[in-house]
Amino acid sequence: MKMLVDSGEVATIDEAIITFAGYGVCLTLGEDVAQDSGLQIMALTVINTAARSFQGNVHIVGDLSLTLNVPGFEGSSLASFVGWAGVNSTCIPTEAWPEIRVGRCSDPTSRTSLEPWAAGWRFGIGPAPASRHAVFAPACVAAASLAVSEAFSLLRRDNPYAGRRPLSMSLWSMKADAAQPTGDVGSAVSGDLWVVGLGHLGQAYCWTLGMMKRSSFTRLVLQDIDVITQSTLTTSVLSSPGDIGSKKTRTVASWMEARGFDTRIVERRFDANTRLAPGEPTTALFGVDNPSARRVCEGAGFSLVLDAGLGSGHRDFRALRVRGFPGTSSASRIWARDDLGASTQLAPAYRALLQSGRDPCGVTTLATRSVGAPFVGCYAAAVLLAEWIRRQAGLAAHSVIDVTLRAPDRLEAA
């Protein structure tokens, strides 16, 4: 809705609400989803991100009574997850809603359909290739996130290529090819992690981590100072209405402990005074959007920092950048300034609020908030975690990876 407002596409907030209420997707599940954990990861990610992106408007066709076998969800039913994710069970799809088809779906469809697939470290949209490669959760998450992004573009009609192009990428090479690791190299989580920021990105990291295979017991340090609010639910994939008012650290720790992780929580700001103690994780995953914390990330004593940043405006919110430190440039230089360059130009809908007598401070606060979508954060998580596993496997490190979901096969990596 904020994208509609910020772009000037609508003249009032009410018009944005009405327009966005008509957005939604259909999800069709093949019979093979019941046995295939990779397909289940894709289905769960589609449901989780689409329900948050489209106010619960996800129409699901398939067996909701199936028992999940995904790590962290073993023994629970798909129906219970659908309820937790906030899917609107009474939504009535329109002809404009795109369809996402997970697994082998034999029923014909008159809708524009998207078929996400994952094969080892490869993933894409279109007919799935034959594969005997083991399930790699980040590739499944990336495929599902990409499908929701394509569905979003179809609803918006803002990308003439969406839904009309086969896409094939590899997280192993970060290029549009069929690269795979040899054997089981680089397929499992190994080592401890410090996660800074547990909102949009941090929860996407943990959503993906929780479904990955592990070769050793993993400790997590979870750092954040915020509580979960109503707005958190729209972008943060581990949060539910029952968590509102709780510390993000507590909610995420509970989720990860249920998946066998050993957690520690830090509820203070990450700043120039933060220092690692002996025995604490030396690899950090950053998911914050304030320059002051990112600027000093190299000074805390980590041997490796991986940072993801997302676009924030209505034009670039589907863009993401993953950086590694130490790298070709220092964090202190990249984020030398706190000024994010936010525009002071108010869109017509904000001016209409001011003219109606609304509080100017509140209107300005709303106008400067970022546009965000959970499918972008989950895609970024897949790219970042794949970069971490690649480095552990001894491949050349990327200092920066630039991707936009409008053209994901045209990424740039250095």
Side-chain angles (χ1 to χ4, degrees), residues 308-371:
L310 307 179
S312 60
H314 65 90
R315 293 186 182 89
D316 69 348
F317 75 94
R318 279 171 283 189
L320 61 102
R321 176 174 292 161
V322 171
R323 294 185 183 274
F325 301 99
T328 54
S329 186
S330 68
S332 60
R333 180 177 179 180
I334 294 170
W335 293 290
R337 298 176 56 191
D338 287 337
D339 180 16
L340 297 179
S343 173
T344 57
Q345 181 75 26
L346 289 180
Y350 300 127
R351 295 199 296 269
L353 286 177
L354 292 175
Q355 292 167 3
S356 69
R358 295 298 181 93
D359 172 48
C361 291
V363 173
T364 300
T365 298
L366 177 61
T368 55
R369 286 290 183 264
S370 298
V371 176

Side-chain angles (χ1 to χ4, degrees), residues 3-360:
M3 174 199 63
L4 297 174
V5 169
D6 288 0
S7 65
E9 186 173 334
V10 297
T12 66
I13 298 292
D14 289 341
E15 187 179 345
I17 292 172
I18 293 170
T19 300
F20 204 80
Y23 289 1
V25 296
C26 297
L27 172 63
T28 301
L29 304 176
E31 292 183 359
D32 49 339
V33 173
Q35 303 299 325
D36 191 313
S37 61
L39 294 178
Q40 289 185 14
I41 293 172
M42 282 191 279
L44 294 177
T45 303
V46 168
I47 293 167
N48 200 354
T49 57
R52 296 174 194 275
S53 298
F54 303 120
Q55 298 183 329
N57 287 341
V58 183
H59 179 72
I60 304 174
V61 177
D63 181 12
L64 297 186
S65 67
L66 68 84
T67 300
L68 299 172
N69 58 25
V70 173
F73 295 94
E74 297 97 336
S76 62
S77 70
L78 179 59
S80 65
F81 178 81
V82 167
W84 175 87
V87 170
N88 178 7
S89 60
T90 63
C91 66
I92 301 175
T94 70
E95 288 298 319
W97 289 13
E99 181 187 30
I100 298 174
R101 297 164 73 87
V102 175
R104 293 190 298 271
C105 303
S106 57
D107 295 339
T109 179
S110 59
R111 301 176 185 276
T112 300
S113 62
L114 302 158
E115 300 178 13
W117 57 267
W121 282 61
R122 293 179 64 201
F123 69 97
I125 303 289
S131 173
R132 294 184 178 179
H133 292 280
V135 172
F136 185 55
C140 299
V141 170
S145 302
L146 182 57
V148 177
S149 178
E150 292 282 279
F152 186 87
S153 287
L154 287 167
L155 289 162
R156 297 281 305 126
R157 298 180 182 177
D158 63 2
N159 187 342
Y161 304 107
R164 297 179 175 85
R165 55 185 173 181
L167 292 167
S168 176
M169 280 81 70
S170 170
L171 291 173
W172 185 248
S173 69
M174 295 311 304
K175 297 295 181 181
D177 59 23
Q180 298 275 13
T182 57
D184 291 330
V185 173
S187 62
V189 172
S190 175
D192 302 330
L193 293 170
W194 190 305
V195 184
V196 182
L198 299 173
H200 184 174
L201 282 165
Q203 292 194 26
Y205 300 161
C206 290
W207 167 260
T208 309
L209 268 173
M211 295 185 288
M212 293 177 69
K213 295 179 180 178
R214 278 177 282 161
S215 61
S216 62
F217 188 70
T218 304
R219 294 181 304 152
L220 293 178
V221 175
L222 304 170
Q223 183 166 7
D224 202 296
I225 62 168
D226 292 330
V227 300
I228 293 172
T229 64
Q230 184 68 37
S231 64
T232 307
L233 307 184
T234 61
T235 57
S236 301
V237 292
L238 304 188
S239 303
S240 66
D243 298 317
I244 293 176
S246 299
K247 291 280 192 179
K248 291 179 179 178
T249 50
R250 317 296 173 89
T251 294
V252 176
S254 177
W255 182 278
M256 299 307 286
E257 286 168 4
R259 284 150 180 79
F261 289 82
D262 177 27
T263 68
R264 302 290 186 273
I265 62 175
V266 179
E267 292 175 341
R268 60 180 176 83
R269 293 184 184 278
F270 187 96
D271 57 26
N273 296 315
T274 303
R275 293 290 185 275
L276 299 191
E280 290 185 324
T282 58
T283 297
L285 310 183
F286 265 65
V288 299
D289 61 1
N290 68 83
S292 60
R294 299 165 98 179
R295 183 186 306 133
V296 297
C297 69
E298 292 184 272
F302 298 116
S303 61
L304 171 64
V305 175
L306 293 175
D307 170 275
L310 307 179
S312 60
H314 65 90
R315 293 186 182 89
D316 69 348
F317 75 94
R318 279 171 283 189
L320 61 102
R321 176 174 292 161
V322 171
R323 294 185 183 274
F325 301 99
T328 54
S329 186
S330 68
S332 60
R333 180 177 179 180
I334 294 170
W335 293 290
R337 298 176 56 191
D338 287 337
D339 180 16
L340 297 179
S343 173
T344 57
Q345 181 75 26
L346 289 180
Y350 300 127
R351 295 199 296 269
L353 286 177
L354 292 175
Q355 292 167 3
S356 69
R358 295 298 181 93
D359 172 48

